[in-house]
Amino acid sequence: MIVRDEATMLPDCLASVAGAVDELVIVDTGSTDGTQRLAQEAGAVLLTSAWNDDFATPRNVGLRAATGDWALILDADERLVRGAARVIRDAVRDDQIDCGLLPLHNAAREDADVEDVRGGQGRRAEVSYLPRLLRRLPDLAFEGIVHENVTPWLLPRAERARILPGADIVHLGYAASVQRARQKYARDTALLEKAIARDPRDPGPYGYLALAHLEAGRVDRAEAVAEAGWPRLPPPSRGTEVTALRLGVARAALALDRGDRDRALATLTTAGRHWPDHPDLWFLRGCTAEAHALDAETATERTEALREAENAFRRAHAGRDGIFAQRLLTGATTWATWLRRGAIALLKGRPGEARDAFEHADREGAPSVLCDLGRAEAALARRQPETARALVRRALDALDRPDERDVPPRARADAHLLAALVAEAEGDLRTMATQLTATRRHLGGGSFAASHRRPRFFDAATVLALHHGQFIDAPGPFGQLSVLLRGETRAVRGGAARPLDPGMRDRLFRRWILSGRTEALEHLLRPEAEVRLPGLAGALAAVVSDLGRDRAVMAAS
């Protein structure tokens, strides 16, 4: 182990390895909180190593001081699960491997129960498999001033590496409270910048640094680093997988955020040549195809893009039980994939399938707020506004709680948008207007937590204007309807790519008819209108028929 000011974490870590190891070798890099005393009381061989901005140096000091034939590498914020000692002892005794890959689970909370995290209930992300049980051969050494690793030592011995199920590690250090306390972002970025300055040609640190900036919300910095590192990526070969994955995920995610689908797809294609079928890359392919569907100009183009997105998300989910030394996107094979599949089902007009997907996401650990918003949207599509209203209210209440974890700040804009859509479904246009104003305020210049809701935002704003007899220019089918209602027939961007929401359409028609605005509605009966929005005349006729039946019933009563 290497430690510094780990008095809080160290005792439980040492307790977890009882029975698994013969000696404890702890290298301290400058503790002042009693860590050294605790190490000595535990019977450890305590060494000190002056901190020189290089994590590999103290790791190697510890390796050289160890006397066993094997080394188990842990950090103070990690715990072995129950039963791991026996699995490790058996692996060493069998003597068939040089490296044991131990399953590592990132805890969602610092105080999470170890067994709950191992079982997935308290886990923050997918399981990774890391080289932590190492045969101490003469050339064994760590390298890398941050994110230190033994990759050069391991690659020639890849066939003698084996996953050790049951020797799981629970990692508490990625819990948000611990990360904040340690100021890991500032420390890691400084070290990575130093590594790049030392050797600008090495692409490895660029990917780590771009992701660190991206996770901290420093988008411009992340983009600059990713673009600087990308040309330095070598052709695919053994050992380039992790570097290509990190740079590829960062660069593709940034391109999607900028709306540059072509760059995202080209990046994912290149990264995929280094690490074929990695689920993170498939997940981002799905996001890229979904973005294409949202921007499609024709129904055929939209349908094909949705099919590609659905297939890509299924491929990502299929990697759930795969063995990957690096997994970067939280939920890419579990809950996040189900959330996206739910969105795709909504876009395809399958609200029942969408509801089931959001239920899957909830069971697999998605933030409850995001699941409730998805379920609310599915309920609206099933014409259940009361159910949708209760779900949106619950989501807004949860967003007001300071302990709500892992929810994008922009989710509040999604919640207010859905509140506006619920109000529209219930005929409360005043509340709809208030909620759309709140949506704009929380959206700012950013995007929604779920990208498919941006077109819905344009639809809602256009429908609200039309309810008040105002014509506005907007993309999408309701923007096209606005153009037709004022007697024009020009095409609107994306106007024919997706259908009009039938509930919103029919409520609008009903309001216009009852308010006597029939002259504008007559424009919808022209052949040119049917070309722009197929089925429009039939929908209008159905509303007129329904109103006629309602009046007949009222007259009879």
Side-chain angles (χ1 to χ4, degrees):
M1 305 176 66
I2 61 173
V3 297
R4 182 174 182 176
D5 291 334
E6 295 285 8
T8 301
M9 288 285 189
L10 185 60
D12 285 346
C13 177
L14 297 182
S16 77
V17 301
V21 299
D22 301 300
E23 68 176 352
L24 302 170
V25 179
I26 298 180
V27 182
D28 188 275
T29 61
S31 295
T32 59
D33 67 343
T35 295
Q36 295 187 15
R37 175 181 55 80
L38 290 172
Q40 289 172 327
E41 290 175 354
V45 175
L46 178 64
L47 306 170
T48 59
S49 177
W51 179 245
N52 66 345
D53 292 339
D54 185 343
F55 278 93
T57 296
R59 290 282 188 208
N60 291 328
V61 168
L63 280 180
R64 288 193 295 269
T67 62
D69 295 327
W70 289 80
L72 173 68
I73 310 299
L74 289 181
D75 288 330
D77 56 6
E78 296 175 343
R79 314 282 183 261
L80 284 184
V81 301
R82 287 195 299 269
R86 178 185 54 79
V87 176
I88 290 171
R89 291 287 191 185
D90 288 347
V92 170
R93 189 178 303 112
D94 290 345
D95 201 33
Q96 299 297 309
I97 62 173
D98 289 338
C99 174
L101 301 171
L102 275 56
L104 183 135
H105 310 254
N106 284 313
R109 302 185 317 279
E110 181 182 352
D111 60 350
D113 179 79
V114 168
E115 293 304 319
D116 284 348
V117 178
R118 180 190 191 184
Q121 296 171 322
R123 189 166 59 221
R124 182 175 181 267
E126 283 78 357
V127 180
S128 295
Y129 298 86
L130 304 182
R132 294 298 193 88
L133 182 63
L134 311 172
R135 189 188 292 272
R136 286 187 61 250
L137 298 171
D139 58 338
L140 176 63
F142 281 88
E143 67 170 31
I145 64 174
V146 66
H147 301 294
E148 69 281 11
N149 61 84
V150 294
T151 302
W153 172 86
L154 181 57
L155 283 175
R157 300 175 174 85
E159 294 181 358
R160 290 184 58 79
R162 183 183 306 161
I163 293 170
L164 300 183
D168 300 47
I169 300 170
V170 169
H171 181 207
L172 302 175
Y174 273 93
S177 59
V178 179
Q179 289 212 62
R180 284 195 298 268
R182 294 183 179 180
Q183 299 180 321
K184 292 182 70 171
Y185 168 73
R187 181 201 68 190
D188 288 357
T189 53
L191 292 177
L192 289 164
E193 288 167 357
K194 181 178 178 180
I196 290 173
R198 181 185 297 173
D199 185 1
R201 296 169 299 176
D202 180 6
Y206 290 91
Y208 285 104
L209 183 56
L211 285 175
H213 285 317
L214 187 57
E215 290 169 4
R218 306 290 182 86
V219 175
D220 290 341
R221 291 187 183 183
E223 190 165 40
V225 172
E227 291 307 309
W230 189 247
R232 293 167 169 80
L233 185 66
S237 64
R238 196 173 193 179
T240 62
E241 297 91 345
V242 171
T243 296
L245 178 70
R246 287 186 169 274
L247 271 172
V249 165
R251 191 171 190 260
L254 288 161
L256 283 173
D257 192 59
R258 300 284 194 192
D260 191 342
R261 295 195 317 271
D262 291 340
R263 173 173 290 189
L265 186 57
T267 300
L268 294 168
T269 299
T270 298
R273 296 191 186 106
H274 292 258
W275 204 332
D277 290 330
H278 194 287
D280 287 354
L281 302 179
W282 278 112
F283 182 83
L284 289 174
R285 279 182 177 272
C287 294
T288 304
E290 183 182 357
H292 184 189
L294 296 177
D295 291 338
E297 288 297 323
T298 67
T300 300
E301 182 184 359
R302 177 177 182 269
T303 298
E304 178 60 23
L306 288 176
R307 185 189 65 79
E308 290 180 9
E310 189 171 37
N311 288 341
F313 289 130
R314 289 182 184 278
R315 293 288 295 270
H317 189 261
R320 175 177 179 173
D321 298 320
I323 307 305
F324 301 94
Q326 289 280 311
R327 295 196 188 206
L328 305 178
L329 300 179
T330 302
T333 65
T334 52
W335 60 264
T337 298
W338 279 115
L339 287 177
R340 299 320 315 146
R341 290 171 69 175
I344 296 300
L346 286 171
L347 292 170
K348 296 174 77 172
R350 300 175 182 173
E353 184 180 317
R355 178 199 58 202
D356 293 344
F358 295 129
E359 294 292 344
H360 276 294
D362 199 6
R363 288 193 293 271
E364 295 201 356
S368 59
V369 167
L370 301 184
C371 297
D372 280 345
L373 293 178
R375 285 186 283 238
E377 200 167 356
L380 274 175
R382 293 164 65 89
R383 305 205 177 193
Q384 299 169 344
E386 300 88 355
T387 300
R389 185 183 347 108
L391 288 163
V392 172
R393 182 70 265 164
R394 188 165 73 180
L396 283 168
D397 289 344
L399 285 167
D400 287 333
R401 293 196 297 268
D403 62 341
E404 187 63 33
R405 296 174 289 104
D406 295 333
V407 178
R410 62 187 69 172
R412 192 174 290 276
D414 296 60
H416 284 291
L417 171 61
L418 288 172
L421 294 174
V422 169
E424 187 278 330
E426 296 179 331
D428 185 353
L429 297 184
R430 179 173 294 180
T431 298
M432 182 187 185
T434 299
Q435 292 294 342
L436 283 178
T437 299
T439 302
R440 292 188 186 95
R441 184 173 67 252
H442 290 290
L443 192 61
S447 57
F448 288 90
S451 57
H452 73 280
R453 292 191 180 121
R454 177 167 286 278
R456 300 216 67 184
F457 174 68
F458 290 128
D459 287 351
T462 307
V463 166
L464 180 63
L466 289 173
H467 270 297
H468 291 295
Q470 301 168 354
F471 304 104
I472 64 174
D473 288 326
F478 281 99
Q480 183 68 73
L481 181 63
S482 180
V483 167
L484 295 172
L485 283 169
R486 58 180 183 250
E488 302 176 27
T489 58
R490 60 185 172 83
V492 169
R493 182 168 62 86
R498 55 189 172 90
L500 290 161
D501 179 284
M504 295 173 71
R505 175 200 64 198
D506 293 350
R507 287 186 290 273
L508 179 65
F509 286 169
R510 186 182 184 93
R511 186 180 182 90
W512 273 50
I513 291 170
L514 292 176
S515 63
R517 300 174 188 157
T518 54
E519 183 176 337
L521 289 172
E522 289 176 1
H523 292 308
L524 305 184
L525 303 178
R526 297 162 60 183
E528 295 88 346
E530 191 68 14
V531 171
R532 295 298 180 204
L533 291 175
L536 203 56
L540 181 58
V543 171
V544 171
S545 177
D546 287 345
L547 282 171
R549 281 195 298 271
D550 291 346
R551 286 173 176 170
V553 169
M554 291 177 64
S557 62

